[in-house]
Amino acid sequence: MKIAVTFDDAYKRQYYVAALLASRGIKTTFFVPTCLEKHPVDAEPLLSLQEVKEISRMGHEIGIHGCRHINLSSASYNEVLREVRDSKELLEEATGREVYGFAYPYGFYNSKIIDLVKQYYEYAVTVHLKHIKSCKKLVYTSRIDGHDRYTLCRLAPKSLFYAALKLLSNSAMKAEEVKIILVFHDEEPWLITTMLNIFRKIFNARFYTVKELLG
Ligand SMILES: [Zn+2]
């Protein structure tokens, strides 16, 4: 099994997690809201641009999670353009590295947003939550192309128990070509490393950035 591990929202404590995982040779992807210093929901402090640059230097991939982390599906076209295009330019200028991926804030998207994201990014991710019915595929077994690349579903810890049971019931899931994407937010580092260890031991999982997973 191949797993892409991702982190959303750029919580401060993710810096420690990034260093911990890098020291174990695990490269992941961080989706950063480029214009925020505090989280829009819980007001927790977020990573500074300098810290984001350092995480990039550790070998992790940096993707975009919009500028202000707004619900794009209820924003105007110009607002969406700013969140999608301008935040990419901002981060690329700051890090000097190309950005390939976009994470829809709150997981919301529609066909217009996808069309715009396609112009600037190689892929986009969403999240598997009860209220997002568009997330149909959780497990990929072949090369991921076309529309699937812009609606990549990710498993959050809340849905992992359900997913793990489903996965466990199918021994084929240990196969090399099975791909899934996990998403973490502000979980404790021990929870993240424990989960990854379980996946490694039970499913013989190997870990990648999303860009690497897509090839
Ligand atoms: Zn978010």
Side-chain angles (χ1 to χ4, degrees):
M1 175 182 283
K2 292 179 175 174
I3 298 181
V5 180
T6 70
F7 295 87
D8 276 12
D9 297 355
Y11 281 98
K12 267 283 188 226
R13 75 159 44 138
Q14 289 175 0
Y15 185 87
Y16 172 74
V17 178
L20 184 69
L21 294 178
S23 74
R24 296 180 183 187
I26 297 176
K27 305 290 164 66
T28 67
T29 305
F30 289 78
F31 292 100
V32 175
T34 53
C35 306
L36 298 181
E37 288 173 5
K38 284 188 174 178
H39 195 277
V41 178
D42 57 25
E44 288 290 322
L46 305 184
L47 295 167
S48 68
L49 195 56
Q50 181 57 34
E51 288 167 324
V52 171
K53 279 190 208 174
E54 286 169 26
I55 290 174
S56 169
R57 273 190 227 117
M58 289 173 198
H60 298 287
E61 179 188 8
I62 308 293
I64 298 286
H65 198 28
C67 164
R68 294 166 297 148
H69 198 282
I70 58 168
N71 176 357
L72 299 180
S73 65
S74 58
S76 71
Y77 178 81
N78 282 338
E79 272 184 307
V80 176
L81 195 61
R82 183 180 159 202
E83 297 287 327
V84 170
R85 181 193 66 190
D86 296 2
S87 55
K88 180 175 190 261
E89 285 173 2
L90 202 119
L91 193 73
E92 286 183 339
E93 239 169 64
T95 61
R97 295 205 174 159
E98 200 174 337
V99 170
Y100 303 103
F102 187 84
Y104 304 109
Y106 309 103
F108 292 125
Y109 61 88
N110 57 37
S111 58
K112 278 185 190 164
I113 295 167
I114 290 177
D115 285 344
L116 194 65
V117 167
K118 271 184 184 168
Q119 292 179 38
Y120 301 99
Y121 299 88
E122 288 188 10
Y123 71 85
V125 295
T126 180
V127 65
H128 175 67
L129 293 169
K130 271 184 195 152
H131 63 278
I132 299 171
K133 296 188 176 83
S134 54
C135 208
K136 285 174 192 148
K137 242 186 230 176
L138 291 171
V139 173
Y140 297 90
T141 51
S142 58
R143 195 181 150 76
I144 306 168
D145 278 315
H147 187 72
D148 282 350
R149 272 192 175 242
Y150 292 89
T151 54
L152 288 168
C153 201
R154 298 179 296 170
L155 283 164
K158 275 181 199 162
S159 52
L160 269 183
F161 182 68
Y162 153 82
L165 283 178
K166 255 185 116 172
L167 294 172
L168 274 171
S169 62
N170 187 346
S171 59
M173 286 299 151
K174 286 188 182 177
E176 185 76 16
E177 67 269 21
V178 170
K179 299 170 193 161
I180 63 170
I181 308 175
L182 304 182
V183 56
F184 295 102
H185 288 83
D186 62 340
E187 291 82 359
E188 295 286 346
W190 67 263
L191 179 77
I192 296 165
T193 52
T194 303
M195 256 178 196
L196 298 191
N197 275 335
I198 290 170
F199 271 101
R200 212 186 49 210
K201 287 192 175 132
I202 297 179
F203 298 109
N204 198 22
R206 289 173 182 275
F207 303 104
Y208 302 87
T209 66
V210 181
K211 167 87 174 137
E212 287 171 343
L213 189 83
L214 296 174

